[in-house]
Amino acid sequence: DREIEAQFDRLEKAGVRPTHIDGHHHLHMHPTIFKLLCGQASRRGIRWVRIPREPLCFLLHFLSPRRGAMPFLEWAVFAVLGRMHERKARELGLRSVHTVYGLARTGHCDERYLLHIVGRAGGSLEIFTHPDTATAAGRRELEALTSASVRATLAARNAVLAGYRELSTEAAVPSGTL
């Protein structure tokens, strides 16, 4: 708990005001870390936490042979942890969006994937990606995120792009649902 507190203190000293909590490779979902991290976040007024929730049917649609059984294992682990953690997050006053996409296609986001999400999804959702210009995968994700087709589909669906700072409490997962 002291290390997590020290990390938050360091952010505050640097003038960084976190809007949500998450972790690299979803390390924040570890049961011990999640409880401590959410407690610190709640005491500091942070109201959002990422809880990976990707529909199984979506995972099956975008299964990548290169990743083998790993997507199924990740999905199962995060489904169990998500159910456990949703209650703890609510108890501490933290919210999460309805669906978080990106788990099935980590490092393999492309235009087809984004079009599938934005063409069918409803409610609040998060899509996490890792765009960059230094790697082929990063460039592919950057191209997908800036695609005219993706922008047109978002506009046609009257989608509102927002970060955690802009999310309203109405966008949160309703109490008692996943």
Side-chain angles (χ1 to χ4, degrees), residues 24-125:
H24 189 62
H25 292 287
H26 310 293
L27 184 60
H28 71 290
M29 292 294 288
H30 182 283
T32 302
I33 295 171
F34 190 86
K35 180 181 174 186
L36 297 171
L37 191 58
C38 287
Q40 279 290 329
S42 180
R43 287 190 287 280
R44 293 166 186 270
I46 299 167
R47 294 291 170 241
W48 290 93
V49 59
R50 176 188 290 158
I51 296 179
R53 275 191 270 275
E54 196 164 53
L56 181 58
C57 62
F58 194 83
L59 173 87
L60 295 172
H61 185 80
F62 283 98
L63 196 56
S64 170
R66 293 178 293 211
R67 296 200 63 219
M70 187 56 82
F72 290 110
L73 295 172
E74 290 169 342
W75 181 88
V77 166
F78 289 122
V80 170
L81 290 174
R83 290 188 193 283
M84 286 175 26
H85 293 341
E86 181 62 37
R87 186 178 65 229
K88 175 51 75 181
R90 275 196 317 265
E91 288 171 6
L92 293 168
L94 275 76
R95 299 171 177 89
S96 59
V97 296
H98 293 115
T99 310
V100 177
Y101 291 97
L103 194 58
R105 298 288 289 185
T106 296
H108 302 285
C109 174
D110 57 21
E111 184 181 68
R112 183 175 80 98
Y113 173 76
L114 289 180
L115 288 170
H116 189 82
I117 293 170
V118 300
R120 290 163 182 78
S124 64
L125 62 94

